Amino acid sequence: MIFAYNRDHVGDVLMVIVTDDKGQENRVERKGNVARVSVVGDEQVVAWNIFEASMILGEIEGNGQVELTDEQVAKVNNELVKAGFSEILEKDNDPKIVIGFVKSCKKHPDSDHLSVTQTEVDHGEVLQIVCGAPNIKAGQKVVVAKPGAMMPDGLMIWPGVLRGVESFGMICSAGELRLPDAPTKKGILELPFDAVVGDAFPVGK
C-alpha cells in the first residue's frame, strides 16, 4: 500500500494506492471526504482518495510517496468508518526500494537485449526480474524497486510479463532514482559490495 501526496499539483488529497488496476475500468464512490476507487464488475478496491487530508491528519511531510505515522493511519481509518465504509487500511512498513544482490543473470529466451535475473532482496527472498540494462550481470549489488514501489517520477512498479517472461520488480538506474549527477549513459546503478541486501535505499539522496 502506497500513500502519495502532492498538494501543489493535486490539492489537499491523500492518495492511497492499494493495488494495480491493470487498466480496467474503475468506479468511484465518494462519501464525505472519502472516495473509494474499485474495479467495475468485481468491485476490488484499488485506491482511496482522502480529501481535505491535512485537516484530518495534520501536517503531511513530503511530496510524492509519503510515510504516515501510525496515528495518521488510525485517523484515515476513522475517516473511512465515519463515511460509512467497512474496509480498514493496514500500514505496510516494509521498504519497497531496497538493496539487492543479483544471484544469477541469463539471456532472455526471446530477446537479444533483455536479461532474466534472480535477485535476492532480503533474507533469502529472491525475485525474478527482467532487466534491459547492458551492464547487468551476476554478482552485483543493485537497487531494486519491488512490486508496490513508487518511483520518484510517480511510476508504480507492479508484477508484469516482458516478452513472455514474468518479472517481479525493477533493477534501477541512477537516473530512475533521481540521484544527483546521475550519468546519462544507459545502465543500472552498481553499488559497493559492502552494501547490505534488504536495506532500504535512500531515494533522491
Side-chain angles (χ1 to χ4, degrees):
M1 183 177 299
I2 294 293
F3 299 106
Y5 185 75
N6 190 329
R7 185 159 191 157
D8 290 341
H9 292 92
V10 180
D12 192 15
V13 182
L14 176 72
M15 295 166 284
V16 184
I17 303 161
V18 178
T19 190
D20 185 10
D21 66 5
K22 298 179 181 177
Q24 300 175 87
E25 183 181 357
N26 291 334
R27 171 177 177 265
V28 179
E29 179 183 8
R30 180 167 178 176
K31 298 179 181 180
N33 282 326
V34 180
R36 177 173 61 186
V37 183
S38 57
V39 174
V40 172
D42 67 7
E43 300 305 316
Q44 179 188 19
V45 177
V46 295
W48 298 87
N49 290 328
I50 311 298
F51 298 90
E52 306 295 340
S54 65
M55 299 291 292
I56 297 167
L57 305 180
E59 183 181 0
I60 301 173
E61 295 185 3
N63 187 50
Q65 184 176 356
V66 296
E67 295 291 331
L68 299 188
T69 65
D70 291 342
E71 181 182 3
Q72 287 176 318
V73 174
K75 288 180 178 179
V76 171
N77 282 323
N78 184 60
E79 199 67 21
L80 265 62
V81 171
K82 283 171 54 180
F85 293 106
S86 60
E87 292 88 348
I88 295 295
L89 305 184
E90 294 186 6
K91 184 180 177 183
D92 182 358
N93 291 314
D94 290 336
K96 292 294 185 288
I97 300 180
V98 301
I99 296 168
F101 174 68
V102 182
K103 300 187 72 174
S104 69
C105 180
K106 298 180 180 180
K107 287 295 184 182
H108 190 291
D110 190 34
S111 171
D112 59 3
H113 71 280
L114 295 175
S115 298
V116 182
T117 76
Q118 301 296 323
T119 301
E120 184 177 355
V121 291
D122 190 20
H123 296 98
E125 180 187 1
V126 177
L127 299 178
Q128 177 169 285
I129 301 176
V130 178
C131 180
N135 61 329
I136 187 72
K137 60 185 178 182
Q140 291 172 318
K141 294 285 182 72
V142 295
V143 180
V144 176
K146 298 165 64 176
M150 175 181 279
M151 300 300 292
D153 64 358
L155 174 70
M156 292 295 303
I157 304 300
W158 303 113
V161 178
L162 295 175
R163 301 291 292 268
V165 175
E166 291 184 315
S167 183
F168 299 91
M170 182 173 74
I171 299 175
C172 305
S173 69
E176 289 164 335
L177 295 165
R178 296 286 177 89
L179 299 184
D181 301 320
T184 57
K185 184 178 179 181
K186 186 177 180 181
I188 52 99
L189 176 66
E190 299 183 55
L191 300 177
F193 199 74
D194 60 357
V196 179
V197 173
D199 278 5
F201 186 83
V203 177
K205 297 181 182 179

